[in-house]
Amino acid sequence: MTAVPVAIDLVSDTATRPTAAMLAAMTRAPVGDEQLGEDPTTAALEARVADLLGKEAALFLPSGTMCNQIALVLHTRPGDEVICAASAHVYGSEGAGVAVLGGALIQPIACPRGIFGPDELSAAVRRPKMRAPRSRLVVMEQTSNRGGGAVWPLATIRAVAGRAREHGLAVHMDGARLLNACVASGVAAGEFAQPFDTAWLDFSKGLGCPVGAVLAGPKDFIQEAWVWKHRLGGALRQSGVLAAACLHALDHHVDRLAEDHANARLFADRAAAIPGVRLDPPEIETNIVFLDLSSAGVDAGTVSARLRRSGIRIMVEGPTRMRAVTHLDVSRADVERAAEGLAQALAGAD
Ligand SMILES: *Cc1c(COP(=O)(O)O)cnc(C)c1O
């Protein structure tokens, strides 16, 4: 039996294909050898992101994971501790990179929606003791992916960053979906990034690019980040073709994130009306919807398999938990169809 092709892919906002206009921009890009500092399009992208985030310098990297890993390794020394939400990507989804590459530990804070406050940070910070790890860095994830796309409010970011400074900690933003947060809240990227030493943007999520992320921070930090970029095999050659896609996305794919947010809300409203489906968390702030099927009487794997037969993909996150993410390649009609498919999958028999 041949598999049904995926018509509506809500597994992740990484599912986007480059648009024709993006591919055209890529073919026009002036390029050179990036490792030699000779790729003008990559340099233009780095300058643009540094400016957008209000930082001195920026560095193009192949992925968001590499942005996090390089930043965490540079902010810490072996034996140090990084504090972040228990749901954070740096904790659960990066192959224990900071332990492997930097010899540092992570102390996770259990918190609803992946957002914690200054007092929770203070409670997590180690008192200086010879035998204790040294608290060194706090990471905030904007938006919080496993927190259901929740937006860290600017006031919370400022309060946590301010408290971090009092404790002598550095502050890093995992900004994989920072621009979703900006579009949802009306707060500028530079304002969100201002309290952080380092911050980065992912271009391969809602912005719709095939590859790319940019890490921004102080000039000397970014110079050191270059050493790690080489070390990890992340230095590139004619990366301008990729950077051109990112520049195109900054011009054309930012404001439209509002459509993804509206589609996520529509899907969530339709899904929540299906018996046995609950939203967890209940508020949909950006493009991520978590479904709790614990009272549906059918497990997530079965629902997913039934959906697949209708050409719909929604991620299985746990035995009774699923995640749907909207993006550039799903329309309003698609999410309506996906919600109908979900209702049938829950009602249907195998
Ligand atoms: C996707 C993601 C990353 C990693 O980005 P890649 O480009 O996939 O390596 C990091 N943090 C969060 C919150 C993410 O969602």
Side-chain angles (χ1 to χ4, degrees):
M1 197 180 87
T2 48
V4 178
V6 178
I8 303 172
D9 197 342
L10 296 171
V11 160
S12 175
D13 46 8
T14 56
T16 56
R17 304 286 197 279
T19 62
M22 179 179 280
L23 289 168
M26 293 166 79
T27 64
R28 287 193 303 267
V31 295
D33 191 329
E34 192 232 17
Q35 281 195 26
L36 303 178
E38 292 173 359
D39 188 275
T41 310
T42 303
L45 175 67
E46 289 167 343
R48 179 129 174 220
V49 174
D51 188 54
L52 183 70
L53 300 184
K55 303 297 177 204
E56 281 176 1
L59 180 61
F60 183 67
L61 290 164
S63 72
T65 300
M66 203 183 281
C67 290
N68 272 336
Q69 289 310 312
I70 290 177
L72 265 54
V73 164
L74 286 177
H75 279 300
T76 58
R77 289 184 300 180
D80 285 350
E81 199 165 59
V82 176
I83 299 169
C84 63
S87 58
H89 199 278
V90 286
Y91 182 46
S93 303
E94 300 188 5
V98 68
V100 174
L101 300 170
L105 292 176
I106 287 196
Q107 189 182 154
I109 297 178
C111 50
R113 301 163 72 74
I115 295 174
F116 52 86
D119 293 343
E120 289 160 288
L121 173 64
S122 289
V125 172
R126 307 273 183 181
R127 306 301 149 223
K129 270 195 198 127
M130 199 103 73
R131 63 179 186 225
R134 263 178 311 226
S135 301
R136 185 72 71 187
L137 173 72
V138 59
V139 179
M140 292 175 246
E141 186 177 294
Q142 183 72 304
T143 65
S144 166
N145 177 347
R146 296 223 144 60
V151 177
W152 281 73
L154 185 56
T156 307
I157 287 176
R158 286 179 173 159
V160 171
R163 187 68 63 83
R165 304 280 175 219
E166 288 170 24
H167 291 293
L169 308 186
V171 192
H172 171 71
M173 181 202 282
D174 171 339
R177 296 186 181 80
L178 170 61
L179 295 180
N180 291 83
C182 294
V183 168
S185 65
V187 175
E191 265 191 281
F192 273 137
Q194 193 277 331
F196 293 88
D197 297 291
T198 49
W200 62 271
L201 283 187
D202 210 330
F203 287 91
S204 68
K205 300 281 169 76
L207 293 175
C209 299
V211 179
V214 177
L215 172 67
K219 210 169 180 170
D220 54 351
F221 189 98
I222 293 301
Q223 259 159 19
E224 284 302 304
W226 249 114
V227 176
W228 271 96
K229 173 171 157 130
H230 271 279
R231 187 172 283 146
L232 298 176
L236 303 168
R237 300 301 185 184
Q238 287 71 31
S239 55
V241 290
L242 304 172
C246 302
L247 286 164
H248 177 86
L250 287 175
D251 288 334
H252 302 285
H253 292 174
V254 177
D255 294 342
R256 63 150 310 283
L257 291 171
E259 288 171 40
D260 298 343
H261 300 170
N263 288 338
R265 259 191 306 274
L266 177 64
F267 176 75
D269 287 347
R270 298 279 168 97
I274 302 169
V277 178
R278 274 185 310 161
L279 306 177
D280 178 29
E283 307 87 26
I284 307 306
E285 292 182 58
T286 55
N287 66 331
I288 300 177
V289 179
F290 278 95
L291 305 173
D292 172 2
L293 305 182
S294 52
S295 55
V298 54
D299 64 281
T302 304
V303 172
S304 160
R306 289 177 185 164
L307 282 165
R308 267 304 275 112
R309 276 178 234 131
S310 325
I312 299 162
R313 280 214 306 177
I314 299 182
M315 178 128 90
V316 175
E317 277 275 334
T320 58
R321 195 166 162 79
M322 300 186 86
R323 188 189 77 167
V325 185
T326 56
H327 52 78
L328 192 59
D329 287 359
V330 292
S331 64
R332 185 184 162 89
D334 287 338
V335 297
E336 286 174 336
R337 261 183 65 201
E340 278 164 31
L342 181 66
Q344 282 161 11
L346 282 158
D350 275 313

